Amino acid sequence: MTRLSSLYGAGSLAALEEHTEYETWLLEAVYEIAERRIAASDPDEFIYPPSGASPKTLKYASSSITVGDWRGGFLKVGAPLVFVTAFKILDMLIEWVLVENGVAPTRKAYTFAEKIDALKGPLQFPRLIEARPWLRERLCGLYEQLEPLRGTIIHDRRFTSASGTLEVSSTKRGVIGPTVLITEADRRNLTVIFVSILRYLQGIWTMDAFEEKCLRRALDELTHLHGLETLGQLPPQRLEVQLCVLDADPIKLDLPRIRVDIAAKFPKQDTVFDVQVTVVSRSEARASAYLISWDELSQIQGVFTRSQLDLAPCVIAIPADLDPSEVAVELDKQLGEHSKSQP
């Protein structure tokens, strides 16, 4: 078996990008037009007021309604096209893996039966997939389970599409199988998974903790299509926690309290959060701000403690609407009230 380190070089990745460019562009464009873009959105905000009041959430969303607008119905009308295109991306990804592993077709091109059989052998997938057995297993499961349905849609047209739900029965080898429902949400999940994997492999997007949870959740919502057990992934969300502290060195953040507050607000979600901390001076109308990433925060269970010198690489612009003097007064007042409440 070829070593993984010798596979999937720059030339190979460039070839994959070239082969899948049109299909990837098409699906991204379709969902962009329908205002259901595939790329992850900006994080919502979880804001601690300087007054010490309970944190509040600011969620970002966009919507538009235009009478007679065709965009909202396009994903329903184009359901067969979206499904077949998404499957084609997976098919090209699988063929790419086979070529890299030196698995040759018996004729000029691979048959689906050959590809499905080869997936059960000792293949080496790209490290992004190989390091996540749950992802590899479910990609293979989707390929094997969806291939007959793709064939039915293209060759036998034994399907219906009503209100955005595809109803397809496999006709492989002349045997009519049970009806499988592929909803609009299912097709978007398939698109999210396949397009995201390509973008991660190409280095255009980065798979961080939040993106990985999104993949796991999408796969959990497709258990009826890949036939494997659920991963138990709660709906993921990304937050930017915003808070202000008085100038000090080192800076201390009460991460246990933040986690408790987020869990109380979102008990049924799996939250990844960054922290934007603004440091304000008591004596001068000045402030500095830092954005501390989840990658660093997730390694710490107790109080986060860092010198401002260590935080220098994380410096960002202070919020435009922040008045350092007013915030300092609020924080001082909060500190005084806290001191009075102590025995």
Side-chain angles (χ1 to χ4, degrees), residues 228-240:
L228 297 172
E229 64 183 10
T230 178
L231 297 167
Q233 176 63 56
L234 291 172
Q237 72 168 344
R238 190 198 298 272
L239 293 179
E240 181 176 280

Side-chain angles (χ1 to χ4, degrees), residues 51 73 84 142-144 146 164 173 206 222 227 241 252 267 302 337:
S51 64
V84 169
L142 285 170
Y143 190 73
E144 184 169 0
L146 297 181
R173 300 186 182 90
T206 301
L222 295 174
V241 175
K252 295 184 179 182
E337 291 173 354

Side-chain angles (χ1 to χ4, degrees), residues 28-86:
E28 285 188 300
V30 163
Y31 280 98
E32 190 75 34
I33 289 170
E35 299 182 345
R36 298 189 63 198
R37 64 195 303 260
I38 299 304
S41 58
D42 294 331
D44 295 327
E45 297 175 1
F46 193 72
I47 305 168
Y48 284 90
S51 64
S54 298
K56 59 182 180 180
T57 305
L58 181 60
K59 288 187 169 290
Y60 290 95
S62 62
S63 63
S64 62
I65 301 175
T66 305
V67 176
D69 192 344
W70 55 270
R71 293 175 299 176
F74 181 79
L75 289 175
K76 293 182 174 64
V77 175
L81 172 64
V82 171
F83 171 74
V84 169
T85 304

Side-chain angles (χ1 to χ4, degrees), residues 180-200:
V180 177
L181 303 182
I182 306 173
T183 67
E184 188 174 341
D186 294 336
R187 295 191 300 279
R188 187 176 187 280
N189 277 330
L190 291 171
T191 298
V192 166
I193 293 166
F194 303 152
V195 171
S196 295
I197 288 173
L198 285 183
R199 293 308 190 211
Y200 298 145

Side-chain angles (χ1 to χ4, degrees), residues 13 36 39 74 96 107 128 143 204 211 286 302 310 332:
L13 287 167
R36 298 189 63 198
F74 181 79
W96 177 65
R107 298 181 182 178
L128 176 89
Y143 190 73
I204 297 173
E211 301 287 356
R286 63 178 178 83
D310 289 339
D332 255 333

Side-chain angles (χ1 to χ4, degrees), residues 108-126:
K108 290 184 178 180
Y110 297 98
T111 65
F112 283 112
E114 285 178 325
K115 287 181 276 192
I116 290 171
D117 187 59
L119 286 177
K120 299 172 183 176
L123 298 176
Q124 292 273 8
F125 278 69

